[in-house]
Amino acid sequence: MNPTALAIAILYAVVCVLATVFLLIVWRSTHRRRPSQEDSTDTRRLAHGEKAWFAVAIALLGVLLVATIPFTPYGEGAGSDDEQQMAVEGVQFAWITDPGEITAGKKVRFTVTAGDVNHGFGVYNDDNVMLMQVQAVPDHPTEVTYTFKKPGRYQIVCLEFCGVNHHNMVGTFLVRPA
Ligand code: CUA
């Protein structure tokens, strides 16, 4: 289990326990015996309790927000001078990449298009794990960014059936050490 998955599992367990405790408290509060005289209800105490619950709910939401924000894939800048560019074109039945080499540890912005029909741009590492994929569509460039941490040769596999040689539509590019 990788550290991120473990952190998510722990967070999930904590949230489950908190939710269970919360539900038990709510259940208890609604099953408490009522005072015998209805008109003796202390509305000021009830109002105070409501405020306390509101504070608890806000605090819980705040904790959840702070705890889960690191796992969101957003927050990357909309582009910087520091990133690398790679143009990718899919054609029956090959991948054209320009340039054919990039550097590890620095964000790559892929601009993916197709020269004839729709293709599927899928990038795999040497363990055959897919890192990302995006459609390659004629006349509609798609942008996607990725940062390769490990140097090596990566494989591009077509993920959209595009003709008789679709299964042979495989390419590679090199990620140089930083
Ligand atoms: Cu290109 Cu399948």
Side-chain angles (χ1 to χ4, degrees), residues 119 158 160-162 166 169:
H119 300 275
C158 185
E160 178 79 44
F161 183 74
C162 54
H166 157 72
M169 188 167 163

Side-chain angles (χ1 to χ4, degrees), residues 60-139:
L60 267 179
L61 285 174
V63 168
L64 264 181
L65 178 70
V66 171
T68 54
I69 251 178
F71 303 115
T72 55
Y74 310 107
E76 288 184 69
S80 69
D81 306 335
D82 207 32
E83 65 186 30
Q84 321 170 68
Q85 306 277 343
M86 184 187 271
V88 178
E89 190 185 12
V91 290
Q92 288 164 320
F93 296 95
W95 292 102
I96 302 158
T97 58
D98 178 28
E101 288 184 18
I102 42 174
T103 307
K106 205 168 127 187
K107 194 200 284 179
V108 188
R109 181 172 296 274
F110 293 96
T111 306
V112 183
T113 55
D116 35 42
V117 298
N118 279 19
H119 300 275
F121 173 68
V123 176
Y124 288 74
N125 67 14
D126 52 6
D127 291 326
N128 262 333
V129 174
M130 187 171 71
L131 303 175
M132 50 112 155
Q133 65 97 18
V134 80
Q135 283 283 307
V137 184
D139 302 323

